[in-house]
Amino acid sequence: MSERAVKDHYENLVELKYQLYNSLFLTLPLDAVEQAGLLLPLLEETSSNGLAGGLNPEEILDQFFESHHPGLDENKKSQFLFKIIQYVERQIVLIDALEDAAYREIHRTEESNKLRQLLERVESEGLQKKFNSILLSFGARVILTAHPTQFYPGSVLAIITDLTEAIKLNNISTARELLQQLGNTPFYQKEKPSPLDEASQLTWYLGNIFYQAVGGILDSLGKYLPERSFNSEPLLSIGFWPGGDRDGNPLVTAHITKKVSEKLRARIIECYHKEIRSIKRRLSFSGVSNKIDEIEQRLHKELTNQIPASFSCPDELISIVNKIQTSLEIDYQGLFVDRLISFKRKIHAFGFHFASLDIRQDSRVLAKTLEEVLKTHPSILHPDFEDYSEDKKIEALFAIENKLNLELIKDPVYLDTLNSLKEMKKIQEENGELACHRYIISNCRGPLDIARLIALFKLSGWNLKELSVDIVPLFETIKDLKNAAKSMDGLYCLTEYRNHLNSRRNRQIIMLGFSDGTKDGGYLMANWSIYRAKEDTTRVSRENNIEVCFFDGRGGPPARGGGSTYKFYAALGKTIESNQIQLTVQGQTISSYYGTQIGAAHNLRQLLAAGLENNLYERPERELSSQQRDLLEELAENAYEKYKDFKSHPLFLKYLEEMSTLNYYSQSNIGSRPSKRGNDKKLNFEDLRAIPFVGAWGQLKQNVPGYFGLGSALKSLEKQGRIEECISLYEQSGFFRALIGNSMQSMSKTNFSLTNYMKDDELFGGFWDLIYSEFELSVEMALKISDQSVLLEDHPGSRHSIGLRQKVVLPLLIIQQFALIKIRSLSRNKSPDLKKIELYENMVIRSLFGNINASRNSA
C-alpha cells in the first residue's frame, strides 16, 4: 500500500468513525460539571496551540478557563479537570475498540499471514518432511505476567469487547448505550488488586481468547502435526506469572500459588466442558453419545466440586476420546471426527493446567533464605562453609541431604521461599508436571546462585534425581550478560547439575532481561549485550551437547524489549539457538496484542512463523559479518558511555523524583507488586523497578530509555567519515534495522513541547537541554541512516495510530504537568497547604491511566 492509501485506509476505518462515535460520547449526560464534554475539543485545540506558542501547561489552562469557562473558582476548576481526565480515558477506550473492530483490515492479517505463506512455500518447495521434523522439536510459549501496566479493570475490558462487536456491526444504538455505560463505570481502583485478583483477570484471556486462538492455529497445522505424547511439550503453550512471581512482591505466598493453580485448572475444565457440550450436539449416535455423556458428566462433577478430579491425567481423557473417534471412523463414516481431533489437540496443548505457572525469586532472597536455614540448622553444613572457595561451596551445597524443621524459620519471606518449593511438588502431583515446572532466579550471578536453589529444593523434600523442575537463571545487568556464557560453562561442568539436565532432556532454559538491561546499560548496549549473550551461551551449550532455550523477558515498549516480535525473531541467525521461542507479554500489551481472537491468532502465527523459518531455511543475510559485528560493538560502546555519563549525572534521580510521575506509580493501585525492591525509603537506582522507570519517562513524553545514546553513537562515526558503514549496516542487517525501527517507535511517541518550560528551570534546565539535544540528534541520525524523511515513514499505519492517540491524550498530559507544577510550587512554601497538595497528587495519579492506555505499550 502507498503512504496515501494507508492514510486513507486508517482514516476510513478508525478516524472518521472516531469522530462519529466521539460526537455521541461528548454529548452524553455524564458529567456533574456543566459542558465538560462539549468543551473538551476546545481544550484540545487550546493545548495544541498553546504548546506551539511556547506556553507552559499552567498558562494554557489559565488561557482556556479565561476564554471558554470564566468565573470558576479553584475548586470548580479542579472538578472540571478531573472530569476531563475521565472523558479522555474513555476516548482512549473508544479508539481501542475502533482499532480492535478493524484489526483484520488495519493489520491486513490475511495478506501478512506469515505462517500461511510459510506453509505454501513448504508445499511448493517440497520441504514437508523437513518441516515435519522441525515441528517435532520446535515450541513457542507466550508467558502472561502480572506486572502493573494494565490500567483497565475487568468491567471496562468487558465493555470494550461488547463495544468492539457493536462497532463491527455498525450498531450505533447499542454503541451509544455502551459509551454511556463506559462513562459511568469507574476506571480507578480504590484498593490495590491482590495477586489472586490479577490472576483472575488474566484467566479471562485464557478462556475467552487463547483457548480458541491456539486451537485454531493447531488445527490449521493439522496435517503437519504428528500426535505428540504427553511426555513432549506442545507446539504452542502459555506461561503464567501471577501467583508465581514473588520477586519483590511479599503478597505472593505459597497459599496464593496453590489458589492460582486451582483457578487455572478450573478454567481449563470449564473450557473442556463447554466444548464437549458443543460436540455432544453433533454426536447423537448409538454407542457414541453415552461415552460423550460420560466425559461431560465427569467434567461437570469436577466443576461443581462433587469430585476432586474428573480424570487422573490427560491421557485418561484422551483414551475415551480415542474410543469415540474409532467408533465414528468404523460405524459412522468418520462424521465429525475433525471435531474430536481438534479437541485432542487442545488437551495436549493445555493439559489440566491450562498455563504453566512459573515461580520466580531474587537470588539475594534465596541467599538470605539459605543463611536463615544455616542459622536455625547449623549442622547442615560445615561451620567454615562461608570461608570456602566458590567451587567448594557449590560442592557442599550439592551434597546436602538434610530435611528442615520449618517451625524454626520465623521470617515470612524465607518461610514462603521454602514453602513455595514444597507447593511446586503438590501442584505437579495434582495438575501434571507442566503445571509448575520452572524456577526463575532473578539477578542470577552464576553457578553459586543455582547451587543455593538446588540445596533449598533438597532441603524442602525434593530428590535431585527426581527434580522435575527447570532451573532458569535470569541475566539482566550488562555485566551479568557479558558473563552469562562463562557462568553456564561452569555450571555444565558440574556433574550433579549435568545429571539433572540429562533428566530434563538435556535442555537449559536461560532468561534474559531486556527491561533491566536497558535500565542498566541503555537501549543499544542492552540489545547488543543480549544478542551477544545468546550467541555466546549458544556456542557454550552446543559444545556441551546441551540445547539452550532463550526466554526473553520483554515488556511493552522498545525500551523494555517490545516492538515488532516477528522482525525481532526473524532477524536472528544460526549462531543463536532458536528451537524454542519464549517471551513475556504484560499489561496493555496483552490487551492490544491478544485482546481479541483475531489479534491473538495473528500475533501467535507471526511468532511461530519467525521461529520455524529460522530453523527451516539458511539465510546468509541474517548472519553478521566480522565487520558488522565490530561496528555494532563500537556503536554499543559509544552509546553505553553516553548513557553511563547521563545516569551518573547528579540530577538524574532527582529529576525523575521531582519532575516526573515516578513516585506516583505505587499509589495508582494497578498492580499488587511494589514499584521497587526492598523497604528503603530512599530511592536506590538498583532497586527501582524497570516499569516505573520506563513509565515515568513515558509520562513525561521524553521516552529516554528508548533511544538515549543512539544519536551520539551514530554521530561519532559520522564525524570519522564512516556514516556509510552505518547506512550499509541498516540496509544489510535485519537485527540492526529492527533496533532502529523500534527506537523510532519510542521517539515518535515523544512530545518535548509538553515539558519545554523545564528548560528555564533554575535547577533542571541544563539537564532537560541535555535530554532534548540527545533526542534531536537521535532522530536526525536515525532518519539519515534509514533514508526516511519522518519517523516510521516505512510504517504509516503505526504512525497514524500514534498520531491520533497523541492528539486525544494531549489535554490529559497538560493537566498532569499542570498538577506537577502546582505540587512543586506548593511544596516550596514554608507552610504548604497539604489538602491542596493531596488534591493535585490525586490529579496526577488519575492522569496516569489514560496516558499509559493511549500508548498501548508504554510500560
Side-chain angles (χ1 to χ4, degrees):
M1 269 193 184
S2 67
E3 163 75 17
R4 180 70 248 177
V6 172
K7 186 175 188 302
D8 290 344
H9 192 57
Y10 188 81
E11 280 184 354
N12 292 331
L13 291 170
V14 179
E15 290 185 8
L16 292 176
K17 288 186 177 182
Y18 172 76
Q19 293 173 22
L20 167 65
Y21 287 105
N22 189 48
S23 64
L24 291 174
F25 181 56
L26 294 178
T27 57
L28 291 173
L30 304 177
D31 54 81
V33 181
E34 184 184 3
Q35 296 182 322
L38 295 175
L39 288 172
L40 179 52
L42 295 174
L43 177 56
E44 189 179 292
E45 182 181 5
T46 304
S47 298
S48 180
N49 293 338
L51 291 180
L55 298 181
N56 70 38
E58 189 173 18
E59 292 168 337
I60 288 170
L61 290 179
D62 285 344
Q63 185 184 89
F64 169 78
F65 282 120
E66 184 178 336
S67 301
H68 302 295
H69 217 327
L72 293 182
D73 59 26
E74 192 169 350
N75 184 51
K76 289 287 186 183
K77 286 180 181 178
S78 295
Q79 289 182 36
F80 179 87
L81 295 178
F82 272 108
K83 190 56 63 174
I84 290 294
I85 290 172
Q86 287 181 273
Y87 268 102
V88 174
E89 286 173 343
R90 287 152 180 80
Q91 285 179 314
I92 298 304
V93 170
L94 176 56
I95 295 174
D96 288 347
L98 286 164
E99 289 191 343
D100 285 347
Y103 192 97
R104 192 190 303 274
E105 292 80 9
I106 292 173
H107 296 272
R108 299 164 61 226
T109 57
E110 289 306 312
E111 299 95 311
S112 61
N113 185 338
K114 298 292 184 183
L115 185 58
R116 178 176 52 77
Q117 292 169 13
L118 177 63
L119 294 179
E120 290 172 354
R121 189 176 172 189
V122 165
E123 292 287 341
S124 66
E125 296 176 2
L127 295 174
Q128 295 93 329
K129 189 174 181 180
K130 184 178 180 182
F131 186 67
N132 288 352
S133 176
I134 289 169
L135 282 176
L136 282 172
S137 59
F138 180 78
R141 178 179 291 191
V142 171
I143 295 91
L144 309 182
T145 78
H147 295 344
T149 65
Q150 175 55 268
F151 282 73
Y152 289 146
S155 55
V156 174
L157 287 171
I159 295 172
I160 294 175
T161 300
D162 294 342
L163 182 58
T164 299
E165 288 305 309
I167 290 169
K168 282 182 183 177
L169 298 171
N170 287 317
N171 191 332
I172 294 176
S173 174
T174 299
R176 189 179 191 280
E177 290 177 350
L178 290 167
L179 289 170
Q180 190 162 358
Q181 179 190 357
L182 184 66
N184 289 288
T185 300
F187 277 43
Y188 181 65
Q189 300 176 136
K190 292 183 179 180
E191 296 180 355
K192 282 181 177 290
S194 70
L196 200 56
D197 293 332
E198 292 170 329
S200 296
Q201 186 165 353
L202 286 188
T203 58
W204 182 91
Y205 288 98
L206 292 177
N208 291 280
I209 304 295
F210 284 100
Y211 184 78
Q212 294 296 340
V214 170
I217 291 173
L218 295 178
D219 288 345
S220 71
L221 290 166
K223 74 175 187 176
Y224 302 100
L225 283 176
E227 289 203 20
R228 297 184 175 193
S229 72
F230 278 94
N231 294 321
S232 63
E233 292 187 34
L235 175 65
L236 256 180
S237 60
I238 311 298
F240 207 76
W241 276 22
D245 180 13
R246 59 235 315 121
D247 177 11
N249 191 347
L251 298 178
V252 178
T253 64
H255 174 71
I256 292 293
T257 302
K258 178 177 183 292
K259 288 293 182 185
V260 170
S261 71
E262 291 172 352
K263 186 174 286 291
L264 289 169
R265 179 178 176 112
R267 194 63 161 157
I268 191 59
I269 294 297
E270 184 181 305
C271 289
Y272 290 161
H273 183 253
K274 183 178 180 181
E275 180 160 0
I276 211 70
R277 283 175 61 86
S278 174
I279 294 172
K280 179 182 173 181
R281 292 171 66 88
R282 302 280 76 83
L283 302 187
S284 52
F285 316 132
S286 176
V288 170
S289 59
N290 61 318
K291 293 185 179 68
I292 285 287
D293 281 338
E294 179 192 349
I295 295 175
E296 183 199 356
Q297 288 168 16
R298 289 170 70 170
L299 293 171
H300 175 74
K301 285 180 179 179
E302 179 174 343
L303 284 174
T304 54
N305 298 314
Q306 296 180 54
I307 55 175
S310 47
F311 299 91
S312 60
C313 63
D315 273 331
E316 185 188 1
L317 173 56
I318 288 283
S319 67
I320 300 176
V321 176
N322 282 338
K323 290 175 182 176
I324 298 171
Q325 181 178 336
T326 300
S327 295
L328 292 178
E329 289 169 344
I330 294 174
D331 301 325
Y332 299 101
Q333 302 82 47
L335 198 58
F336 304 122
V337 159
D338 58 324
R339 298 282 298 271
L340 290 178
I341 294 173
S342 176
F343 183 50
K344 286 197 295 182
R345 291 188 185 116
K346 295 188 187 80
I347 297 170
H348 184 260
F350 303 123
F352 286 151
H353 60 278
F354 213 151
S356 296
L357 186 57
D358 286 344
I359 308 297
R360 182 171 77 135
Q361 185 55 281
D362 191 279
S363 63
R364 292 163 291 189
V365 174
L366 296 176
K368 288 178 180 177
T369 301
L370 185 61
E371 286 177 17
E372 183 70 11
V373 167
L374 297 181
K375 283 179 187 176
T376 54
H377 300 73
S379 63
I380 286 178
L381 289 171
H382 193 278
D384 297 333
F385 173 78
E386 290 301 329
D387 298 325
Y388 287 178
S389 67
E390 180 169 319
D391 288 346
K392 194 172 180 182
K393 281 182 178 178
I394 291 171
E395 183 182 347
L397 290 169
F398 274 118
I400 283 177
E401 296 294 345
N402 308 58
K403 295 288 171 30
L404 295 182
N405 179 2
L406 291 181
E407 292 181 0
L408 298 177
I409 309 295
K410 303 301 181 185
D411 185 282
V413 174
Y414 306 150
L415 182 60
D416 173 72
T417 300
L418 295 164
N419 279 330
S420 67
L421 303 180
K422 289 176 172 291
E423 192 58 48
M424 290 182 76
K425 179 179 278 191
K426 294 177 185 175
I427 291 171
Q428 287 192 5
E429 289 169 355
E430 292 173 2
N431 297 343
E433 181 182 313
L434 290 179
C436 191
H437 68 105
R438 310 200 304 187
Y439 199 110
I440 300 159
I441 306 174
S442 301
N443 285 300
C444 185
R445 300 293 155 87
L448 183 57
D449 285 333
I450 291 172
R452 286 192 186 107
L453 176 59
I454 287 178
L456 292 174
F457 265 113
K458 293 173 74 175
L459 290 167
S460 300
W462 287 83
N463 183 317
L464 183 56
K465 293 179 180 178
E466 298 171 357
L467 182 59
S468 51
V469 175
D470 296 309
I471 310 296
V472 184
L474 167 52
F475 299 111
E476 301 175 272
T477 66
I478 301 303
K479 180 181 178 181
D480 291 341
L481 287 165
K482 287 182 177 179
N483 291 331
K486 182 181 178 182
S487 295
M488 297 314 300
D489 196 29
L491 198 59
Y492 295 151
C493 291
L494 300 174
T495 302
E496 295 86 348
Y497 190 73
R498 189 57 186 263
N499 290 338
H500 170 66
L501 286 182
N502 287 341
S503 71
R504 306 303 297 162
R505 298 186 296 281
N506 279 317
R507 178 187 293 170
Q508 173 67 55
I509 303 171
I510 296 175
M511 186 172 180
L512 302 165
F514 285 78
S515 303
D516 283 286
T518 302
K519 174 176 156 261
D520 181 51
Y523 177 72
L524 201 53
M525 177 53 91
N527 278 275
W528 177 235
S529 294
I530 288 170
Y531 189 95
R532 286 189 312 171
K534 286 187 174 184
E535 285 193 318
D536 293 343
T537 51
T538 295
R539 174 180 49 77
V540 164
S541 299
R542 287 173 177 171
E543 288 170 356
N544 284 277
N545 295 314
I546 298 295
E547 179 194 346
V548 66
C549 165
F550 295 113
F551 174 15
D552 294 326
R554 305 180 71 192
R560 297 188 53 237
S564 172
T565 303
Y566 174 78
K567 287 184 178 179
F568 175 83
Y569 287 107
L572 301 180
K574 290 294 184 183
T575 55
I576 294 175
E577 199 73 75
S578 57
N579 284 341
Q580 304 287 314
I581 290 181
Q582 301 186 8
L583 73 157
T584 57
V585 291
Q586 59 200 42
Q588 330 91 296
T589 311
I590 297 174
S591 56
S592 60
Y593 280 44
Y594 302 99
T596 64
Q597 287 186 24
I598 292 173
H602 175 67
N603 285 293
L604 289 171
R605 284 196 303 256
Q606 306 300 77
L607 184 65
L608 272 179
L612 290 169
E613 283 176 8
N614 279 351
N615 286 279
L616 189 62
Y617 293 108
E618 299 286 342
R619 294 192 299 191
E621 70 273 12
R622 290 180 308 187
E623 312 302 332
L624 293 172
S625 68
S626 58
Q627 292 89 347
Q628 290 173 331
R629 195 175 294 278
D630 291 343
L631 183 57
L632 277 164
E633 181 71 28
E634 187 175 353
L635 286 168
E637 286 292 345
N638 288 342
Y640 187 37
E641 289 304 315
K642 181 72 176 179
Y643 181 75
K644 278 199 300 184
D645 289 345
F646 175 64
K647 198 171 63 168
S648 62
H649 194 289
L651 293 178
F652 180 76
L653 280 180
K654 193 174 180 65
Y655 180 81
L656 279 173
E657 284 190 287
E658 295 188 20
M659 306 302 278
S660 81
T661 60
L662 179 67
N663 293 328
Y664 299 97
Y665 265 79
S666 61
Q667 302 173 49
S668 60
N669 293 338
I670 55 170
S672 66
R673 193 171 74 163
S675 59
K676 64 184 183 70
R677 294 179 173 94
N679 298 314
D680 193 346
K681 290 185 178 180
K682 183 181 178 182
L683 181 62
N684 180 300
F685 183 73
E686 284 68 34
D687 288 336
L688 178 61
R689 292 284 187 184
I691 289 172
F693 173 71
V694 173
W697 291 113
Q699 295 283 333
L700 280 169
K701 304 309 287 181
Q702 294 176 1
N703 292 336
V704 162
Y707 60 82
F708 200 90
L710 175 64
S712 291
L714 291 167
K715 189 68 177 179
S716 68
L717 267 76
E718 184 181 49
K719 287 178 178 178
Q720 299 173 39
R722 299 169 58 195
I723 193 64
E724 289 300 324
E725 293 179 39
C726 301
I727 292 172
S728 176
L729 181 65
Y730 179 86
E731 291 172 346
Q732 295 174 16
S733 168
F735 169 71
F736 187 60
R737 202 158 49 245
L739 278 187
I740 298 300
N742 288 339
S743 185
M744 281 186 175
Q745 188 182 120
S746 285
M747 292 188 284
S748 70
K749 294 179 180 179
T750 60
N751 184 353
F752 275 86
S753 66
L754 179 71
T755 55
N756 187 58
Y757 71 93
M758 292 182 187
K759 71 180 181 182
D760 298 321
D761 186 271
E762 186 176 342
L763 179 60
F764 295 109
F767 191 74
W768 185 92
D769 277 334
L770 187 157
I771 297 169
Y772 184 54
S773 296
E774 183 61 25
F775 164 73
E776 286 202 304
L777 183 60
S778 297
V779 171
E780 175 195 337
M781 300 309 298
L783 293 177
K784 184 172 290 186
I785 65 168
S786 65
D787 193 29
Q788 297 182 47
S789 57
V790 293
L791 294 173
L792 297 178
E793 184 178 352
D794 56 344
H795 287 87
S798 296
R799 194 170 77 252
H800 295 310
S801 175
I802 290 169
L804 176 59
R805 290 169 180 275
Q806 296 276 71
K807 176 185 174 185
V808 169
V809 83
L810 183 59
L812 185 149
L813 294 168
I814 292 291
I815 292 169
Q816 182 184 95
Q817 285 298 316
F818 161 77
L820 288 169
I821 290 170
K822 286 291 190 182
I823 292 167
R824 289 193 291 269
S825 176
L826 289 166
S827 298
R828 293 189 187 109
N829 295 335
K830 289 184 179 179
S831 301
D833 188 329
L834 298 181
K835 282 192 174 181
K836 282 188 177 179
I837 290 176
E838 183 182 6
L839 170 74
Y840 290 119
E841 285 181 335
N842 286 334
M843 196 175 286
V844 171
I845 293 166
R846 289 293 286 106
S847 68
L848 290 170
F849 301 98
N851 189 27
I852 285 284
N853 288 326
S855 298
R856 282 209 135 177
N857 68 348
S858 64

